[in-house]
Amino acid sequence: MSCSVPEFHESVETIPPVQWTRWRAAEAAHSLADVTTFEVGGKLSHVVNATSEQELIAAVIEADTAGLPLLVVGGGSNILASSKNFEGIIVRDARQEITTVFEEGCPGARIHVTAGTPWDETVVYAVEHGWMGMEALSGIPGTTGAAIVQNIGAYGQEVAGTVAVARTFDRLTRSVRTIFMSDMKLGYRTSILKESMRRPDAEGKMWGPSPRWIVLDVDFQLRLATLSEPVRYGQLAEALGIEPGSRAPSSDVRAAVLELRRGKGMVLDDSDRDTYSAGSFFVNPVLTEAEVAASRLPDDAPRFAVTDATAVNQIGAAAPKVPGLVKTSAAWLIDHAGFSKGYGLPGPAALSSKHALALTNRGGASGEDIAALAREIQLGVWEKFGVQLEPEPVLVGF
């Protein structure tokens, strides 16, 4: 990473984080509906509200020793649960702490964040201190630990662009392990942690619905700059009134991102049923050139380059393209397969009235209702375009 002079263009005012009002403390929860933004899910039998690393690890060991399912819940914004009772152990990491490790001109800033810290508070901390690299990830619900499991991304940024290391508890070896960014296998909405939930390991063991490696805390590396990274996402650049590739004050980028997200029903609001969801339900399909050729994608279907944020050798630089891969838009596929915004209304489970990519609980829906809608959409897109949509949320009880 080359050395750069800090860029400070203006003072940054105090910025409030997004307040997730629809939240119930895990120790008072009686069902998964109480701790998920979908507000669906069966009853709980054992809930641990861990206020220390020792309590968190002890709860994980207790579940694994007893052979019980383990579900570590962050903000509950990426979980779709069935109506079945959850007979395992629910763990909420209640630790919320951000510490500045160092802030220097050449290496930039490094911060240490406990996994239970709400992600948006981490973004606010960076923007307020004049550090670049997280501003476009404003308003994403959930916790910081969950952010690296999913490798969250929005408006041209990914968390992979700033993460340095993660301390984890390895459930296989029952030891604390530090995983460096280069070993996390961070890709488009995936990581080695997420893959451990979905695919068996070498011994055939499935670790879901929580990863083999439970995140304890994360270190991020950021550049000193009150201006944002170059804004490469066209919709965001238009909202800011700048040309794509230009930069803007990070606080302005945050404000514009929050406004765009609210317009899509992607900022939780108790009074808005469009936000009783998990945000984007399907990931944008990443296809090989051969898969594109074998599909029935029309010429006007969106096609985007796939980039590798882990290959950036200078903070703020553009991520290089991955040859041979094409990303298309799940929202476009859904809409053009006949599932427009509001599809399913007035039923209990329907697409958001603001965004075709969000499945929502309109009131009284079960996890099974939402899953049935998801399957209907998957089948419709497959029959129309020959492209398989992959759900983004963690599925519990299905």
Side-chain angles (χ1 to χ4, degrees), residues 172-337:
L172 177 63
T173 63
R174 295 195 175 180
S175 61
V176 174
R177 175 184 172 187
T178 297
I179 305 178
F180 291 90
M181 186 271 284
S182 57
D183 296 322
M184 289 183 195
K185 298 183 180 179
L186 295 166
Y188 174 66
R189 303 299 179 270
T190 192
S191 67
I192 190 174
L193 295 88
K194 182 175 178 179
E195 288 302 302
S196 73
M197 298 160 56
R198 298 192 171 198
R199 292 176 175 81
D201 61 18
E203 286 72 39
K205 181 176 177 57
M206 293 288 292
W207 291 98
S210 288
R212 166 183 161 179
W213 297 276
I214 303 300
V215 180
L216 302 174
D217 45 63
V218 188
D219 279 18
F220 297 94
Q221 191 78 23
L222 300 138
R223 178 175 166 182
L224 309 187
T226 53
L227 286 182
S228 69
E229 286 186 342
V231 177
R232 301 181 178 92
Y233 196 88
Q235 187 183 38
L236 179 56
E238 182 180 0
L240 288 162
I242 62 176
E243 292 296 319
S246 301
R247 300 169 68 191
S250 291
S251 55
D252 291 352
V253 172
R254 172 177 169 78
V257 166
L258 290 176
E259 188 63 25
L260 288 171
R261 291 183 63 86
R262 288 191 181 96
K264 298 175 182 178
M266 298 294 185
V267 175
L268 301 186
D269 179 350
D270 286 358
S271 64
D272 185 357
R273 294 306 306 191
D274 279 334
T275 72
Y276 287 67
S277 75
S280 299
F281 193 88
F282 298 104
V283 298
N284 290 324
V286 174
L287 309 171
T288 64
E289 293 174 350
E291 288 171 332
V292 172
S295 73
R296 294 181 293 280
L297 278 179
D299 292 340
D300 60 343
R303 289 172 170 80
F304 307 107
V306 176
T307 58
D308 182 5
T310 67
V312 175
N313 57 16
Q314 182 177 353
I315 297 175
K321 296 179 181 179
V322 179
L325 295 179
V326 175
K327 181 169 63 177
T328 189
S329 166
W332 188 96
L333 295 174
I334 292 168
D335 186 45
H336 286 75

Side-chain angles (χ1 to χ4, degrees), residues 346-395:
L351 290 181
S352 166
S353 66
K354 302 180 181 69
H355 200 287
L357 196 51
L359 279 65
T360 66
N361 175 3
R362 311 310 298 188
S366 66
E368 287 78 3
D369 293 331
I370 295 167
L373 176 61
R375 286 192 295 271
E376 182 184 359
I377 292 170
Q378 284 178 304
L379 181 60
V381 168
W382 174 258
E383 291 179 341
K384 176 92 173 168
F385 299 112
V387 175
Q388 179 68 42
L389 293 181
E390 179 184 349
E392 189 166 330
V394 176
L395 305 179

Side-chain angles (χ1 to χ4, degrees), residues 95-216:
R95 302 170 303 135
Q96 300 182 17
E97 183 178 354
I98 306 175
T99 305
T100 300
V101 179
F102 60 74
E103 180 183 12
E104 301 174 16
C106 182
R110 192 179 183 108
I111 57 175
H112 181 81
V113 188
T114 53
T117 303
W119 169 252
D120 200 59
E121 292 186 11
T122 302
V123 175
V124 166
Y125 191 88
V127 173
E128 280 190 335
H129 282 77
W131 302 334
M132 182 189 79
M134 293 181 172
E135 56 280 348
L137 302 179
S138 293
I140 298 177
T143 58
T144 299
I148 67 164
V149 174
Q150 186 75 2
N151 186 21
I152 59 171
Y155 299 104
Q157 277 186 348
E158 289 184 356
V159 75
T162 55
V163 65
V165 299
R167 283 180 66 252
T168 69
F169 178 72
D170 186 344
R171 296 165 65 190
L172 177 63
T173 63
R174 295 195 175 180
S175 61
V176 174
R177 175 184 172 187
T178 297
I179 305 178
F180 291 90
M181 186 271 284
S182 57
D183 296 322
M184 289 183 195
K185 298 183 180 179
L186 295 166
Y188 174 66
R189 303 299 179 270
T190 192
S191 67
I192 190 174
L193 295 88
K194 182 175 178 179
E195 288 302 302
S196 73
M197 298 160 56
R198 298 192 171 198
R199 292 176 175 81
D201 61 18
E203 286 72 39
K205 181 176 177 57
M206 293 288 292
W207 291 98
S210 288
R212 166 183 161 179
W213 297 276
I214 303 300
V215 180
L216 302 174

